[in-house]
């Protein structure tokens, strides 16, 4: 038990575990995740319709894009649960979303570079 607050260490840890995120803040994050996910899916659709034929060089791009989009979808699923109002769950979902966005961005950059070199070498 702490002499200053009169609370035990166990009370503090359960209090920290109960920290909640405001619903309005979570809803804004849900909106951002949905919008970024739709852009990511839109890019994959455009890239799939690219007139340049796919080769094995496109495999890393495909893996990055699919990996990033899967993480974004998983994040959306986590944020839609009521448990996402818990600070710990919310923070974990945000980190997962950022990793997904970074993977997708790397995939987009990779696609642009590969397509650029494909066009230049023709």
């Amino acid at each position: 038990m702490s002499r200053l607050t009169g609370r035990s260490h166990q009370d503090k840890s359960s209090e920290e575990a109960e920290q909640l995120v405001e619903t309005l803040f979570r809803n804004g994050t849900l909106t951002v995740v949905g919008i970024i996910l739709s852009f990511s899916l839109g890019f994959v659709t455009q890239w799939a319709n690219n007139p340049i034929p796919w080769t094995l060089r496109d495999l890393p791009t495909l893996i990055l894009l699919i990996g990033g989009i899967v993480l974004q979808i998983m994040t959306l699923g986590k944020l839609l649960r009521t448990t996402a109002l818990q600070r710990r769950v919310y923070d974990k979902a945000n980190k997962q979303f950022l990793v997904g966005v970074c993977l997708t961005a790397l995939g987009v950059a990779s696609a642009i570079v590969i397509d650029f070199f494909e066009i230049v070498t023709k």
Side-chain angles (χ1 to χ4, degrees), residues 56-86:
L56 281 177
R57 283 183 278 177
D58 295 315
L59 190 59
T61 300
L62 186 62
I63 290 169
L64 288 169
L65 288 171
I66 289 174
I69 289 172
V70 165
L71 286 175
Q72 290 176 42
I73 291 170
M74 289 172 57
T75 300
L76 184 61
K78 285 180 182 178
L79 288 173
L80 286 171
R81 295 185 198 130
T82 56
T83 57
L85 292 173
Q86 296 172 358

Side-chain angles (χ1 to χ4, degrees), residues 33-34 36-41 43-44 59-77 93-108:
V33 169
I36 299 294
L37 177 58
S38 68
F39 281 128
S40 300
L41 291 170
F43 177 81
V44 169
L59 190 59
T61 300
L62 186 62
I63 290 169
L64 288 169
L65 288 171
I66 289 174
I69 289 172
V70 165
L71 286 175
Q72 290 176 42
I73 291 170
M74 289 172 57
T75 300
L76 184 61
N94 274 340
K95 288 177 187 173
Q96 181 177 350
F97 176 68
L98 289 175
V99 170
V101 168
C102 288
L103 285 176
T104 305
L106 286 171
V108 168

